[in-house]
Amino acid sequence: MMRNPILLKEFRQRMRTVRAPMVVTGYVASMAVLTFLLLYENVQGQLYLIQPSRSEQVFFVLSLLQMLVVAFLTPAFSAGSMSGERERRTLAVLLTTPLSPFSILFGKVLASSALQCLLLMASLPLYSLVFLFGGAVPQEVVAVLLFQLFTIFIVATISVMWSTIALRSGWSTVLSYATVSFMILVTGTVGLGLQSLAKNPVDGFAASWGHTLLSLNPLWVEAALENAVHGGTLPWVTFALFYVIIALILTPFCLWRLRPQWLRRIPGATRMNERNYQ
Amino acid sequence: MIFTQHLTKKYGRVTAVDRLNLSIREGTVFGMVGENGAGKTTTLSMLSTLSTPTSGHAVINGYDVVKNPSAVRHSIGFMPDSFGVYDDLSVDEYLEFYADCYGVDKRVIATRRSDLLERVGLSDKRSTYVNALSRGMQQRLEIARCLMHDPPVLILDEPSSGLDPRSRMDMRGVLRGLREAGKTVIISSHILHELAEIADEIGILRRGKVAAVAAVQVMLQHSSSQRTLWLESRSDPSLVESVLAADGHVTSMEFRDGGVEFVYMGTYEGQSELLAALVAAGVKLTQLTERATDIEALFLRLTSEVGGSSHDA
C-alpha cells in the first residue's frame, strides 16, 4: 500500500502543512472538553454518582458526535482531489504514467481519509475515561471504531469518485455533500418518519421501508452497534452493501473520465464518447 | 521509432487531425510547426495515449498506442503545452514522485536525479519548493521529469512557450542536450526559426495535415547559398546596376527607396568579390546588409522544389 506513489505524495503534501496538526489538536481538544462536560453534567460534580449506565450514555453521545463530524469533514478533504489535479493541470501528465486508474483512485481515497482516521485514533484515549467508569465494553468500542473507519473510507471513495466524474471541484463538493446529507439527513428523517407512521395503524410497508432507510444511516447503524436501537442481527451489512454498490456503479464513469479508451471494451460504446478529460 | 499511418482524430464533425502520416527515425529531433488549431496538440495527445485516434495507427518504439498503451507510456516522456506542477513538493521530491510512478528502482533514482538536475541547470535547487522556481526553471524541471524513467522517446508540446528570451535560450541548450543524448524527440512549436536551431527535421502541419517535411540541414544549406541583400550607395544607380548585372550570381534586382534589393545566389567568398568589384568600379557604398530570410517561405518553396510536399519525414 505504501508503495503507491500517489499516497506517498499526498501524505507529503497534506501532512506537512500547518493545517494538519492544527486540525488534529483542535479536534482532540474539543472532544476532550466535550467529554469532560458530559461526564461532569452526568454526575453534577458528585463523583460518587458515577454509574456505568451514565458512562455508557457518554460513550454513545461521543461516538455519534464523532461520526457526524468525520462524515461531514471527509468530503472537505476528498471532494477536490481529482478535479483539483485537473484544475492544476497536473492530471494529463499523471495519466501518461503507467499508473492504472485504480491505483490513482486508491491512492487518493486512502490519502484523503487518512487525516480523519488519525482524528479517530487520536481521540481513542478519551474512551479510556468511559472504561474507567464502566458501561461500555471493549468489543463495543472496537466495533464502533471499525464502523467509523469504514464510513470514512466509503464517504472518501464516493467523494473521490464524484471528484473524478465532475469537471469542477465546486460541483464535486456539492455532489459529495449531497451524498453525505442523503446518508445522514434524508435517511434519518424519512426513515424515522416512516417508522413513526407505522406505529399508529399497523403498516408493514412503512415500517419495512423506514427500517431499510435507517439501515443506510451511519448514525443509526452505529447506535444499533451500541445496542441503543434495534437494528437486526447484522445492522452494518445492508449499509456496507448499499454504499459499496453505489461505488461500483460510479466506477465505470470514473474509468471513462480517466481512460476513455477503456470504453471500447464495453460493447456498443462509440468512439465519439472518447473525449479528453485532462 | 515514431510511425503514424492515416492517423485521424475527429471531434464530432470537426476533423482535428486528418490522415496524418509520419515516420521519424531513432535519434531524430523532429519539429512540428503549425498555426494554432493546426492539429499539433491533438497529434501529440494521441501519441502520448491521452486520447485515442478515431482511425489510423500510431506506433512508438514498436508499440501501438491503442493496442499497447501501457508499453507506450513506459517508452515516452510527455510534456504538455500547458502543464501544472505540485507546488508544495521540493524539486527532489517532485522528481522522485514521477520516478516512483514509473517504478524506477530507488537506488537508480538518486543518481539519475542528480545527473538530470545537473543537465538542466537546477542542481542547486534540489531542496527548493517547486512553487519558488521561475517559469523557465519549472519548464526545465519538466524536461528532467520527462527523463526520470529514461524513455527513448520524448514528446514535448511547446516547451518554450511563455518564456522570456533568456529562458528560451536556456531551454534551447537543454533541448540540444537531448539530441546529443540520442533521444528521439518530437517537439511542437508555432515558431519555425526556433525549431530550426534544434531539430533535424521539420514538418509543417496545416488543418490537421502535414503540408511539408524537410531536413533542416537542407534548408540551412539552401538559405546560406541564397541571400537577399540590400545595398545603398551615393553613386549613380546605373553604375551599381552595371556592376551587379556583370556578376553571374545576382538575380532579381529592384531599385527603390534610394537603394537596391537583390538576390545573391553564391558563396560568401563570391559575395566578398562582388563587394570588391563594386568598390573598384568607384561605387561609394554606404550600406550592404542581408535581409532576414523568411524561413517559412523558404521552407515551403524548398519543399515544393524538391518534389512537392513529401508527407513522410
Side-chain angles (χ1 to χ4, degrees):
Chain A
M1 189 164 64
M2 286 305 292
R3 297 275 302 166
N4 186 315
I6 299 281
L7 184 62
L8 198 66
K9 174 189 77 74
E10 294 278 326
F11 276 169
R12 273 182 174 150
Q13 288 179 295
R14 285 168 193 259
M15 296 303 179
R16 67 162 45 134
T17 59
V18 185
R19 192 169 72 154
M22 276 176 67
V23 167
V24 175
T25 310
Y27 179 78
V28 174
S30 320
M31 290 301 281
V33 169
L34 193 75
T35 310
F36 173 77
L37 286 176
L38 282 171
L39 282 171
Y40 188 83
E41 202 274 329
N42 260 356
V43 299
Q44 300 292 314
Q46 307 294 314
L47 285 176
Y48 61 86
L49 286 176
I50 288 176
Q51 291 170 6
S53 59
R54 287 182 173 177
S55 175
E56 197 173 359
Q57 278 175 8
V58 172
F59 170 64
F60 179 64
V61 173
L62 269 182
S63 59
L64 286 190
L65 194 70
Q66 185 139 279
M67 173 64 94
L68 202 63
V69 171
V70 292
F72 277 99
L73 201 61
T74 305
F77 288 91
S78 46
S81 54
M82 288 305 292
S83 48
E85 291 272 357
R86 183 179 168 273
E87 285 161 355
R88 280 195 306 270
R89 289 169 296 149
T90 47
L91 186 62
V93 171
L94 200 57
L95 293 178
T96 58
T97 67
L99 287 179
S100 73
F102 288 110
S103 56
I104 294 173
L105 292 174
F106 188 61
K108 288 286 182 187
V109 169
L110 286 186
S112 55
S113 45
L115 188 69
Q116 290 80 273
C117 295
L118 186 63
L119 292 182
L120 288 189
M121 296 301 174
S123 63
L124 267 183
L126 294 175
Y127 289 137
S128 63
L129 289 174
V130 178
F131 284 134
L132 193 66
F133 302 126
V137 291
Q139 292 93 315
E140 225 171 72
V141 177
V142 170
V144 165
L145 180 72
L146 287 177
F147 181 68
Q148 285 178 342
L149 290 175
F150 176 75
T151 308
I152 290 171
F153 183 75
I154 207 75
V155 171
T157 303
I158 294 173
S159 300
V160 168
M161 286 180 157
W162 282 135
S163 175
T164 311
I165 295 165
L167 293 173
R168 292 180 185 167
S169 293
W171 274 112
S172 62
T173 306
V174 169
L175 290 166
S176 302
Y177 275 106
T179 307
V180 174
S181 301
F182 168 81
M183 289 173 86
I184 291 174
L185 301 176
V186 176
T187 57
T189 49
V190 178
L192 286 174
L194 285 171
Q195 282 211 329
S196 65
L197 270 178
K199 275 176 191 167
N200 300 324
V202 180
D203 187 348
F205 179 79
S208 117
W209 271 103
H211 184 268
T212 308
L213 274 176
L214 285 171
S215 305
L216 308 179
N217 186 304
L219 297 178
W220 191 85
V221 175
E222 192 176 275
L225 286 171
E226 293 172 31
N227 297 316
V229 293
H230 179 66
T233 43
L234 293 169
W236 52 271
V237 174
T238 315
F239 179 90
L241 271 177
F242 180 79
Y243 291 109
V244 166
I245 288 170
I246 294 282
L248 287 175
I249 290 170
L250 292 178
T251 303
F253 295 99
C254 294
L255 297 179
W256 164 59
R257 282 297 196 205
L258 297 178
R259 293 257 194 264
Q261 300 94 321
W262 284 22
L263 268 186
R264 292 185 180 187
R265 298 178 189 183
I266 302 170
T270 63
R271 293 179 184 194
M272 288 288 289
N273 296 324
E274 294 174 8
R275 293 190 181 127
N276 289 4
Y277 171 62
Q278 312 83 31
Chain B
M1 184 57 86
I2 302 174
F3 172 74
T4 70
Q5 188 183 29
H6 302 309
L7 192 68
T8 303
K9 181 71 182 179
K10 290 182 180 176
Y11 295 104
R13 289 180 182 176
V14 179
T15 304
V17 175
D18 191 6
R19 287 165 292 157
L20 185 83
N21 292 324
L22 282 177
S23 176
I24 303 168
R25 288 182 304 275
E26 188 175 349
T28 303
V29 177
F30 184 84
M32 192 185 273
V33 194
E35 300 162 348
N36 292 334
K40 305 185 298 287
T41 298
T42 310
T43 304
L44 299 189
S45 169
M46 285 188 283
L47 292 178
S48 57
T49 74
L50 281 174
S51 64
T52 330
T54 310
S55 60
H57 298 282
V59 175
I60 292 181
N61 198 25
Y63 303 109
D64 190 291
V65 293
V66 176
K67 290 176 186 160
N68 203 346
S70 183
V72 171
R73 286 181 201 120
H74 276 286
S75 304
I76 61 164
F78 174 60
M79 180 177 170
D81 60 338
S82 164
F83 66 88
V85 287
Y86 298 112
D87 287 345
D88 34 15
L89 292 180
S90 71
V91 166
D92 265 358
E93 289 166 348
Y94 187 76
L95 294 179
E96 188 184 341
F97 164 64
Y98 281 104
D100 285 342
C101 288
Y102 286 93
V104 179
D105 194 310
K106 289 279 178 199
R107 286 162 295 184
V108 177
I109 291 176
T111 48
R112 191 172 290 163
R113 186 172 53 194
S114 304
D115 176 45
L116 289 173
L117 287 175
E118 185 76 37
R119 231 197 280 180
V120 298
L122 292 174
S123 43
D124 56 335
K125 304 281 180 189
R126 301 177 65 136
S127 312
T128 309
Y129 280 101
V130 177
N131 62 358
L133 299 178
S134 68
R135 179 72 187 165
M137 288 177 182
Q138 285 184 354
Q139 283 184 255
R140 280 184 278 145
L141 176 65
E142 277 299 288
I143 299 280
R145 191 266 302 158
C146 288
L147 291 164
M148 269 309 280
H149 57 294
D150 196 23
V153 176
L154 286 176
I155 299 172
L156 311 175
D157 196 357
E158 306 264 6
S160 303
S161 69
L163 295 183
D164 58 58
R166 173 74 217 179
S167 305
R168 290 178 99 92
M169 217 166 76
D170 291 342
M171 180 57 86
R172 277 202 292 273
V174 171
L175 296 176
R176 276 191 214 104
L178 295 178
R179 183 164 62 180
E180 284 155 21
K183 301 285 181 192
T184 306
V185 187
I186 179 162
I187 309 176
S188 86
S189 176
H190 57 276
I191 308 166
L192 181 58
H193 71 262
E194 192 173 278
L195 276 184
E197 288 183 35
I198 310 158
D200 300 308
E201 288 173 332
I202 286 181
I204 290 189
L205 251 70
R206 201 172 281 160
R207 294 191 198 98
K209 286 183 175 176
V210 177
V213 172
V216 172
Q217 203 56 38
V218 176
M219 284 170 60
L220 294 177
Q221 278 169 5
H222 204 272
S223 67
S224 66
S225 63
Q226 177 181 317
R227 293 177 296 284
T228 304
L229 300 171
W230 174 253
L231 186 149
E232 285 180 25
S233 72
R234 286 189 286 151
S235 305
D236 185 1
S238 59
L239 176 63
V240 176
E241 188 180 4
S242 62
V243 178
L244 291 178
D247 192 301
H249 299 104
V250 175
T251 58
S252 67
M253 277 183 280
E254 188 188 344
F255 285 86
R256 57 181 162 83
D257 307 327
V260 55
E261 187 177 273
F262 61 96
V263 175
Y264 187 82
M265 307 267 288
T267 60
Y268 282 102
E269 286 76 23
Q271 190 179 314
S272 301
E273 284 166 17
L274 172 65
L275 204 59
L278 283 164
V279 173
V283 176
K284 292 173 180 168
L285 290 169
T286 54
Q287 192 183 352
L288 179 71
T289 49
E290 186 175 331
R291 288 278 161 98
T293 311
D294 182 349
I295 201 160
E296 186 155 355
L298 169 68
F299 180 83
L300 289 173
R301 194 171 67 229
L302 183 63
T303 46
S304 61
E305 279 170 15
V306 245
S309 57
S310 156
H311 284 228
D312 291 329

